[in-house]
Amino acid sequence: TYRFDLAALSWSRLATWGDAPSPRLIPAMAVLSGRLYIHGGQAANDFVVYGRDVYTLDLATLRWTRIAGGANAPLRMLAAVCEDPEGGRLLLYGGAGTYLTEGDHTVRFNDLWQFSSKTGTWSQLNATGNLPIPSFNANMGMINGFIYLFGGHTLNGYVNSVHQLDP
């Protein structure tokens, strides 16, 4: 685990401890209330998709902790994620359920999930309206209580649409 110092423009390796996540590619990651959250991703040496657990890194103590997350946790990689500091939750949109294989048989999603930092559990939110096309590799952020979602990769290729969601 590394930290980048913006003032010095330099990287340093952190001496973390605890129950750290296994090596993985393309997980969802966000910071909420002084903790770095990691969810999902792909195993570094095969096509296994992680997703039933969440790892947190306490940024003050540098201790990793594994949170089970529950049997209903979304099994994802390449998902968009943002934090909702007022609600004490992380919000996760879309992503892929399998690795990009020959012929691109990847399952893409357009669902919205929340992870409660208070209870350590996932629940799916029932979004309505003009839903975004199922995609992965989108970007998401929250401003003034609204989620903004940009881009992504759909079955038809890359998109440059912007969606506003009211969670």
Side-chain angles (χ1 to χ4, degrees):
T1 306
Y2 290 84
R3 175 175 24 211
F4 185 73
D5 184 328
L6 287 170
L9 299 178
S10 67
W11 288 98
S12 59
R13 186 168 187 162
L14 301 176
T16 62
W17 60 285
D19 191 3
S22 60
R24 58 187 70 196
L25 307 170
I26 49 185
M29 184 180 85
V31 175
L32 180 66
S33 302
R35 294 183 185 275
L36 174 73
Y37 287 80
I38 302 283
H39 171 70
Q42 176 199 336
N45 296 318
D46 57 31
F47 298 130
V48 173
V49 178
Y50 293 109
R52 302 290 183 222
D53 52 15
V54 173
Y55 287 87
T56 66
L57 176 64
D58 184 309
L59 297 174
T61 65
L62 300 180
R63 179 183 180 198
W64 283 105
T65 304
R66 180 183 179 274
I67 301 171
N72 68 331
L75 184 62
R76 302 297 163 81
M77 64 181 182
L78 296 163
V81 67
C82 71
E83 62 279 351
D84 175 7
E86 290 183 18
R89 62 185 177 164
L90 300 177
L91 297 159
L92 182 135
Y93 164 80
T98 60
Y99 188 72
L100 297 174
T101 59
E102 186 176 336
D104 191 10
H105 301 289
T106 304
V107 176
R108 292 162 177 85
F109 297 94
N110 68 338
D111 50 1
L112 185 63
W113 291 78
Q114 67 179 358
F115 177 80
S116 169
S117 64
K118 296 173 182 125
T119 64
T121 58
W122 287 98
S123 58
Q124 188 171 1
L125 300 175
N126 296 315
T128 60
N130 185 14
L131 299 177
I133 297 170
S135 66
F136 60 79
N137 260 357
N139 288 286
M140 187 165 76
M142 180 175 263
I143 300 171
N144 297 326
F146 290 95
I147 297 172
Y148 292 90
L149 180 77
F150 174 78
H153 189 277
T154 70
L155 285 174
N156 297 319
Y158 295 101
V159 294
N160 66 349
S161 58
V162 177
H163 291 268
Q164 180 187 38
L165 300 135
D166 182 356

